[in-house]
Amino acid sequence: MRAAQLSRLEENTMLPLIGKNVVVIGGSRGVGRRVVEAAIGDGARVLAVARQEERLRQLARESRASRS
């Protein structure tokens, strides 16, 4: 599949997240953190769960700062 076709396919399959709730397990780093950031950026309310409480707190601070 060509890149242009793939791009259109991705655009057509994206679900709007505005007003949706998203739960992310392992949300403090790596892929989980990227999912959290993307979901927040798309307008979702996010509940992130992880073992590292301080990393989650830092993510929350950064997310709030980026929305201001």
Side-chain angles (χ1 to χ4, degrees):
M1 191 178 289
R2 291 182 303 165
Q5 289 174 321
L6 182 57
S7 177
R8 269 187 268 122
L9 177 63
E10 289 173 346
E11 288 176 11
N12 292 335
T13 58
M14 295 300 295
L15 298 174
L17 294 179
I18 296 172
K20 302 291 182 178
N21 298 314
V22 175
V23 177
V24 181
I25 307 300
S28 67
R29 63 186 188 146
V31 174
R33 183 181 176 104
R34 300 314 179 277
V35 170
V36 168
E37 292 167 346
I40 290 171
D42 287 346
R45 290 180 300 263
V46 177
L47 170 65
V49 180
R51 293 179 292 174
Q52 299 290 324
E53 180 180 354
E54 185 50 40
R55 287 185 184 183
L56 283 175
R57 290 184 185 280
Q58 179 64 30
L59 176 59
R61 285 189 295 268
E62 292 170 6
S63 297
R64 286 186 192 108
S66 70
R67 285 185 287 170
S68 301

